[in-house]
Amino acid sequence: MALLRENRTAWQGIRLKPRVMRPVRELDTSCHVLGSDRSRRARLPIFVGPAGVHSLCDGGRAGGGELSTARVAAEHGVVMSESVHATQPLEAVASACETAPGRWFQVYLLKDRAVTADLVRRALASGYTNSRLLTLLSVSGFLYYIYNEVAFLALAEVAPVTHAVTNT
C-alpha cells in the first residue's frame, strides 16, 4: 500500500500545461531519452520495452524476433531496449538497430554471476549505452523490483549501472 500511496503522490505533483491555438506546422517531438546517445535524438520520447522471446510472436523465422523489433525501432528513431530473455544474440540485435538513438540492455542478476558479468561486457562491447540490473522479489503475489547493493557491487568492476528501479 505504501508504494501505491507514493505513486499517487508523485502523479499529483505532475501538471500538464495545455497549449491550444498554437501553430503545429513544425512540431518537434524529438528528445534525448534517459542516457541515450547524445549525438542522436529520439524522434519520440518513448523506447521499445525489454520484452523477451519475440521469436514466439513471428513463428521463429530467420531474421525475425528481436531483430525485426530492432529494425523497426531504428527505422522510427526510437531507443531499443533488449531483454536478457531475448531469442537473438545481443550483438545481432545491436547490429540491426545500429542507427537507433540508443540501445539499452535489461539483465537480471543470474545465479551464475560470471554469466551476468559476461552479458554486461558483451552488451557494452556491442554499443549498449544503458544497463538495468534488476532483481525480483515475490511478495504476496506481487513482484517488486528491489535495489540489490550486493549485485551492483559484484558488477562494479565490469561496468557502471546507470539506472536502477527502486521500490522497497
Side-chain angles (χ1 to χ4, degrees):
M1 294 308 275
L3 179 60
L4 177 61
R5 189 172 40 255
E6 290 172 18
N7 284 338
R8 286 185 175 156
T9 301
W11 278 107
Q12 289 171 351
I14 296 174
R15 297 289 181 251
L16 300 178
K17 181 178 178 181
R19 296 180 181 213
V20 296
M21 304 297 286
R22 305 273 182 162
V24 292
R25 184 175 306 263
E26 296 181 26
L27 186 64
D28 181 11
T29 58
S30 67
C31 63
H32 294 287
V33 181
L34 294 176
S36 60
D37 186 341
R38 297 300 292 177
S39 66
R40 300 180 191 162
R41 291 174 66 85
R43 288 188 200 153
L44 295 168
I46 61 172
F47 67 95
V48 175
V53 294
H54 290 202
S55 291
L56 291 177
C57 299
D58 67 4
R61 66 180 175 79
E66 290 82 9
L67 299 177
S68 296
T69 307
R71 284 191 294 270
V72 171
E75 178 183 334
H76 292 282
V78 297
V79 173
M80 172 67 183
S81 183
E82 184 174 3
S83 169
V84 69
H85 300 297
T87 54
Q88 301 291 334
L90 283 165
E91 298 81 0
V93 175
S95 179
C97 65
E98 192 171 350
T99 61
R103 290 188 295 277
W104 298 349
F105 181 57
Q106 175 197 45
V107 63
Y108 295 96
L109 185 62
L110 304 173
K111 184 175 183 177
D112 185 341
R113 303 297 198 265
V115 172
T116 306
D118 183 58
L119 284 167
V120 172
R121 282 189 193 97
R122 286 176 50 209
L124 290 169
S126 299
Y128 288 81
T129 56
N130 255 328
S131 295
R132 274 139 180 82
L133 178 65
L134 304 173
T135 58
L136 292 177
L137 172 65
S138 182
V139 179
S140 303
F142 293 100
L143 290 177
Y144 292 97
Y145 291 100
I146 61 169
Y147 174 81
N148 186 328
E149 188 174 336
V150 174
F152 286 152
L153 292 174
L155 289 174
E157 293 180 12
V158 177
V161 176
T162 55
H163 292 84
V165 178
T166 59
N167 292 336
T168 53

